[in-house]
Amino acid sequence: MTKNRGFWPMRDIPTVLWLLLTVIAALAHRALPMPGWLMIHLLLLGAVTHAILVWSQYFSFALLRRAATDGDRRRQSIRLILSNGAAALVITGVLSGIWAVTVAGAAALIVAVTWHAATLVRRTRGSMPGRFGRTIRYYIASAALLTIGAALGAWLARGDAASNLVVAHALINLLGWIGLTVAGTVVTLWPTILRTRADEGAATGASRALPVLAGAVVIAATGAALEQLVAVAAGLGAYLAGLGIIFLSLFRAARQKAPRSFAALSVTAAMLWWAGAVAAVAVGAIVAAVDGGGFEALDALFGQVVPYLAAGFAVQVLVGALSYLVPVVLGGGPTPVRVGTAGFDAAGILRVTVANAALAVCALPVSSLMRVAASIMYLVAMASFLVVMWRAMRTQRRAKAAPGLPDGGLPTIDRPGGGLLAIGRPGGGRRAADQPAAGLTDGGRPDGGLSRRHGPIVPEGAQPPGRRSGQAVAGLLSVVLVAAGLAAADPVGLGWGAAPVGAADAPVQTVQVEAANMRFTPDRIEVPAGTRLVIEVTNTDDEQVHDLVFANGIAGGRLAPGEKETIDVGVITADLDGWCSILGHRQMGMTLQIVATGSEAVSGASPDAGARPDAGAHGMGHMGGGTATGSSTAPDLMAEPGPGFDPIDAELPALPASDSPITRELTLTVRDEKREVAPGVTQTLWTYNGTAPGPVLHGRVGDRFVITLENKGTMGHSIDFHAGSLAPDRPMRTIPPGKSLTYTFTATRAGIWMYHCSTMPMSTHIANGMYGAVVIEPAGLPAVDRSYVLVQGEYYLGDHDGGTVDPDRIATRNPDLVTFNGYANQYDHAPLPARVGERVRIWVLDAGIERPSSFHVIGGQFDTVWAEGAYLLDHATDTGSQALALQPAQGGFVELAFPEAGTYPFVSHLMVDAERGAHGLFAVDE
């Protein structure tokens, strides 16, 4: 015989670890593969399965009045190691895509659970079952169902994840393995938590409910596998009937003593979410069968309900049960048990209220922002259980260590014949829960502030009047206030827009629109004037939430991936703009244009639209803000470049060896060139030699440069070389079209120097493409494997089809595009190559005219940084740099070696500029 009380690592630690991993996964879900699947399986396959294997064994000993032996405990430890290892293998196999690993995990789980069920069968046959002994059959039936569910899950992991089989797998595991276990347990655990006697008909009801519940799971799962909606609905209906039998006895027990502790209230909430979720799926199956939605509709609904079964039912029943059972199992006598129980109840009403109110908000048709906020509140409320548990167990251990505390006083369940059986000690106990037991008051004693007094064990501890109701009100108000604040800040997210207007009998045109990849498809809809437009919008994106709002105030709600809605835009009498209102989506090109056609169309805003000044198409601004003369359509930086896309070669060839300074001659010809500067956007640029920026000049200190400037443009231009030191009067003068000049300078200092047109207004000439770089290498500059030059520039766009720079836009000091080497994101489309271990030098010049630069390589670290003529780092070994900071007309270089193959983005870390086109990629190969 062995003691089942006290700390047992293999029993007590895994559930906590799985719960902790679930919390971590919830916090880091955006960075994890398959986050939804991962969180559910960490919780259900990890934490809940371990708890079932532990506590069903525990209750079997208590209910059968058997004492666990050392051999029983040793074999259970082996089963728990096997089951937890199996869960880890299944999760690893699915995430890695290695089916063999998944199969090995599923097989190990089936072995562990089958062994678990066999021990229960043998124990039942070797005992005289008491009044509630037959509830152990629930554990045996649930284990049998899990073997089927685990095998089906392993098969699905091959990649043949047909939706009907996924639903069948989930029904077996959620309603069978977990549901049957909970149903069999609450029959005895519920009255014990309430500290009251079980209902007289509870045992009989449990016996009657088992075949109903088990048969219902089989019917529903088989119906799902065969895509028979009627069978699914019938099975779930029978399951609800079985739950009704169980819940009746629970209700009668609660009438004797209402639930007040965290454990009782958490279990109560779990029962409600359990029944509600099953009812929702049952109704959904009926509706899908009647209206012809088919199994696809049920599959979509089931996918929405499963998180609530996990978060509302499984989590709450687990933490509720543990809040009661852990103090009992740790034991130590009535006083320590009472201390632990009261500790687990800390802020219990507040936690239950916040968790369930937040979960209810998530279930409502609210905005994605509100759903995120509610999810965080739920997570905090539930994750706090881990902190509460640690503090309560520590306090109970201190109470156990206090001298002179009596043993006994353990909580009980009903014994056959009306007696009481202590469940803290399998096989019986010395006293009943309602016997006087030691209590607690604060004291300054060596036992941690404990002193003894006599009185009944109060599960929730002593509470001042009104505290419990105050916690409930505070919890509910916190959720309501957060929801109300977000609704006020984001009314569009809730679909609170203007009502559609226009004649009710107007002809109707219905258009289907898809939202994905930061675009609406189609993004232009022609509608005869006087026609009511109805848009059926579907979010076909894999990850992003989208919506669709219009300048007339009509707004749809936020749509998660796969969701759809119908928007009545109203009667169209004039052109109308629409867009996605999610922060940043409109700026990335997610816009929709409605064009009114026919004789009734009028220019300007539709009179029926009820357009408001703050809701107009220009009210939101485009990329970087509004423009006086430019296009109102933001560049679509996610689109592919045009067919004539020819990226500027950023590579800087090594200079030939030279024993002395040399003369370098170059002719720069000014031309007006229509060039693409972003996908679908062309500008008529003023260029040096046909490119913006102009060609890179490269030399060493002492070299002489002879530059001939020819003006073949349409206006006067000039040139200013920062690399030369001389009076500007003659060489930097403006020359008219058809004229030329010679600009000669000697490079006396190293650096990456800017050159540009100095004709006034200088900002306009530079912003329209008249700039470039001169690289003068410092003496003794080591050779590298690769060298690149990146010149950051800005565009203030005119008309997107060949327009020239917009001077009014320049006055806003807010560019439409920020680029490296003249084209937005061009090196995303033509990545710069490198190899692992190669030393790469990147020369960077900020040509302005307004924006500073903070050059950064994502995933890389610089060991050499040279800025404006000086080394900040020079081949450092134990320090590094993350960014090269430059103001306009400043430059330098950085060096790094890439540690492994992959794609390394580079950006200006002024992130708004990275999002405006100052972004590119290094493609690094082995």
Side-chain angles (χ1 to χ4, degrees), residues 724-805:
S725 180
L726 71 172
D729 304 75
R730 293 296 295 171
M732 300 183 194
R733 70 185 185 275
T734 297
I735 58 175
K739 298 297 182 178
S740 64
L741 62 76
T742 299
Y743 191 128
T744 302
F745 68 93
T746 299
T748 57
R749 300 178 187 275
I752 177 169
W753 305 91
M754 181 179 178
Y755 69 85
H756 59 87
C757 180
S758 56
T759 301
M760 297 301 291
M762 198 180 305
S763 61
T764 300
H765 285 250
I766 297 174
N768 207 46
M770 303 196 76
Y771 62 91
V774 179
V775 176
I776 305 300
E777 295 187 358
L781 184 66
V784 293
D785 298 298
R786 296 178 190 267
S787 186
Y788 294 107
V789 177
L790 299 173
V791 182
Q792 179 175 306
E794 302 161 15
Y795 287 111
Y796 300 81
L797 299 174
D799 185 87
H800 289 192
D801 185 13
T804 55
V805 63

Side-chain angles (χ1 to χ4, degrees), residues 6-93:
F7 179 67
W8 177 4
M10 199 57 233
R11 179 193 65 192
D12 301 335
I13 292 178
T15 294
V16 176
L17 289 180
W18 286 115
L19 288 175
L20 185 59
L21 288 173
T22 304
V23 172
I24 293 172
L27 294 173
H29 69 279
R30 291 187 180 276
L32 297 174
M34 304 173 62
W37 183 94
L38 178 60
M39 286 186 284
I40 287 176
H41 284 77
L42 286 172
L43 172 66
L44 303 182
L45 180 58
V48 174
T49 292
H50 177 83
I52 289 175
L53 292 175
V54 167
W55 296 105
S56 55
Q57 288 285 334
Y58 179 87
F59 272 90
S60 72
F61 282 112
L63 293 169
L64 296 175
R65 296 176 291 176
R66 295 283 298 271
T69 65
D70 291 334
D72 291 327
R73 180 164 173 167
R74 184 169 55 253
R75 286 186 290 272
Q76 184 173 359
S77 292
I78 295 173
R79 286 195 300 272
L80 294 177
I81 292 172
L82 184 61
S83 65
N84 282 279
L89 284 175
V90 168
I91 293 172
T92 301

Side-chain angles (χ1 to χ4, degrees), residues 634-686:
D636 184 1
L637 301 187
M638 298 187 68
E640 291 296 319
F645 174 67
D646 183 18
I648 288 181
D649 186 1
E651 185 174 0
L652 182 67
L655 289 171
S658 176
D659 295 330
S660 60
I662 62 175
T663 297
R664 304 179 184 276
E665 298 183 8
L666 177 68
T667 296
L668 292 177
T669 302
V670 176
R671 294 189 179 93
D672 295 357
E673 295 277 352
K674 183 177 179 180
R675 295 184 62 87
E676 189 175 55
V677 297
V681 178
T682 59
Q683 296 284 277
T684 300
L685 302 177
W686 308 326

Side-chain angles (χ1 to χ4, degrees), residues 5 195 324 328 331-338 406-412 422-425 429-438 456-457:
R5 296 161 58 201
R195 313 284 175 154
Y324 176 80
V328 172
T335 296
V337 170
R338 183 179 183 277
D407 192 12
L410 297 169
T412 62
I423 68 169
R425 182 181 299 107
R430 291 186 302 178
R431 23 177 124 169
D434 52 358
Q435 182 176 336
I457 297 177

